[in-house]
Amino acid sequence: MDNIKNKKLFLLDMDGTIYLDDDLFEGVLEFLEHIKNIGGKYMFLTNNSSKSVDKYIEKLEKLGIKSTADDFLTSTNATILFLKKKNHKKIYALGTQSFKEQLKAASLPVTDKLEDGIDCLCMGFDTELTFKKLEDACILLREDIDYIATNPDWVCPTWYGFVPDCGSVSEMIYNATKKRPQFIGKPQPEMINLAIEKSGFKKEEAIIFGDRLYTDIASGVNAGITTVFVLSGEGTLKDMEESDKKPTYVYENIKKFYEDLIK
């Protein structure tokens, strides 16, 4: 399989790649065990900013995967690093309670109310979205403030189909304000670069798996690493034909990749 057997750092998207809702895909546990056995490392990279790392650890534990905080990089992590380089006086956080708590824990000046002095609107994937939050965003964006969003995903996969993700909500806000955010997570290469830096492996030893061409695969292309597009989530072969971001490999799912890997 070309240079696949030389890979040591396996970067895995989560929703639609290793599970859907509470259903772990077949072959994932064996694949993760194989990575450990070859002296490699896996890390979970997700654009889903609705949950904290602690919540992901709990979720994976229920699915039979033991993990620690070092095994994760989320778009919230990347967003926090971005915001820390700024000097905002007050950040309106449009997201879940978990999202707001993560920003506060990072000592960022966060509020979820309309107040004087707000100079940044930061939006995550909000599974607790209300019309009041949308209205607040529209009011804030009348002014020339920074507008940041954790990820551009249009949808988040579920067992019954899809629900609107951060990208869809930002498009709704654009229709009202004619303003779009600066997106931080995948497809930008920063999350991958951070993962490589944390792991100690070389870029040539890294490979990313994902079910979205416009985020997962695009981030791998932008970072210059090997990419694997899996058809177990959002993306389809038709999407690949129409996309300018082409994966290195295409597989039906993680299990099929693993079966080839151990041949």
Side-chain angles (χ1 to χ4, degrees):
M1 286 179 62
D2 193 30
N3 64 345
I4 293 295
K5 292 184 183 293
N6 297 326
K7 301 302 180 184
K8 292 293 185 180
L9 177 61
F10 296 77
L11 306 177
L12 297 154
D13 175 55
M14 300 174 74
D15 299 304
T17 299
I18 66 169
Y19 61 67
L20 271 180
D21 286 339
D22 295 322
D23 293 323
L24 188 70
F25 292 143
E26 191 177 357
V28 170
L29 292 178
E30 293 84 353
F31 177 49
L32 298 182
E33 187 63 28
H34 176 77
I35 294 171
K36 290 180 182 178
N37 291 339
I38 63 171
K41 179 175 178 58
Y42 54 80
M43 293 182 69
F44 303 108
L45 270 61
T46 178
N47 266 359
N48 190 332
S49 54
S50 67
K51 296 185 181 74
S52 67
V53 167
D54 287 345
K55 295 296 184 185
Y56 277 119
I57 291 173
E58 290 176 16
K59 181 179 179 68
L60 291 190
E61 177 78 26
K62 291 177 182 176
L63 296 176
I65 301 172
K66 292 189 179 298
S67 60
T68 68
D70 286 339
D71 297 325
F72 296 85
L73 270 178
T74 72
S75 60
T76 304
N77 297 143
T79 299
I80 286 170
L81 290 172
F82 176 85
L83 291 173
K84 278 184 168 291
K85 294 176 183 176
K86 304 288 185 177
N87 191 29
H88 293 118
K89 295 177 181 177
K90 196 172 292 185
I91 301 167
Y92 183 101
L94 196 167
T96 61
Q97 189 61 34
S98 174
F99 176 66
K100 288 179 282 189
E101 288 172 358
Q102 288 177 83
L103 298 187
K104 288 178 182 177
S107 299
L108 291 167
V110 172
T111 183
D112 58 3
K113 297 178 177 63
L114 289 180
E115 302 173 0
D116 291 338
I118 294 173
D119 53 359
C120 177
L121 169 62
C122 182
M123 182 171 68
F125 172 36
D126 192 356
T127 56
E128 302 158 10
L129 185 64
T130 64
F131 188 82
K132 180 66 167 61
K133 293 179 183 180
L134 294 173
E135 186 178 50
D136 285 353
C138 293
I139 292 170
L140 289 168
L141 291 176
R142 293 182 305 171
E143 305 298 327
D144 186 22
I145 65 172
D146 284 349
Y147 179 22
I148 309 300
T150 55
N151 61 295
D153 304 54
W154 293 114
V155 297
C156 181
T158 70
W159 66 268
Y160 54 82
F162 303 99
V163 295
D165 206 323
C166 190
S168 291
V169 176
S170 70
E171 195 66 13
M172 181 165 55
I173 292 173
Y174 169 77
N175 288 334
T177 66
K178 300 307 174 189
K179 292 184 178 179
R180 285 195 173 98
Q182 176 179 352
F183 292 109
I184 302 300
K186 297 176 287 186
Q188 303 304 321
E190 280 77 12
M191 286 174 69
I192 289 177
N193 293 335
L194 280 171
I196 293 171
E197 184 180 331
K198 282 182 65 174
S199 73
F201 288 112
K202 299 175 183 176
K203 179 177 285 191
E204 305 81 60
E205 296 175 294
I207 181 170
I208 186 169
F209 299 75
D211 67 310
R212 291 183 177 95
L213 289 163
Y214 63 95
T215 55
D216 305 317
I217 302 308
S219 67
V221 172
N222 292 337
I225 68 170
T226 302
T227 60
V228 177
F229 179 42
V230 290
L231 303 173
S232 49
E234 178 186 335
T236 66
L237 289 175
K238 186 174 185 294
D239 294 334
M240 189 178 70
E241 293 169 3
E242 297 172 352
S243 174
D244 62 342
K245 299 295 186 183
K246 304 298 183 185
T248 315
Y249 299 95
V250 183
Y251 278 88
E252 183 181 342
N253 50 44
I254 289 288
K255 181 185 178 185
K256 294 294 185 184
F257 175 87
Y258 172 60
E259 289 172 349
D260 270 2
L261 183 63
I262 61 175
K263 281 182 179 177

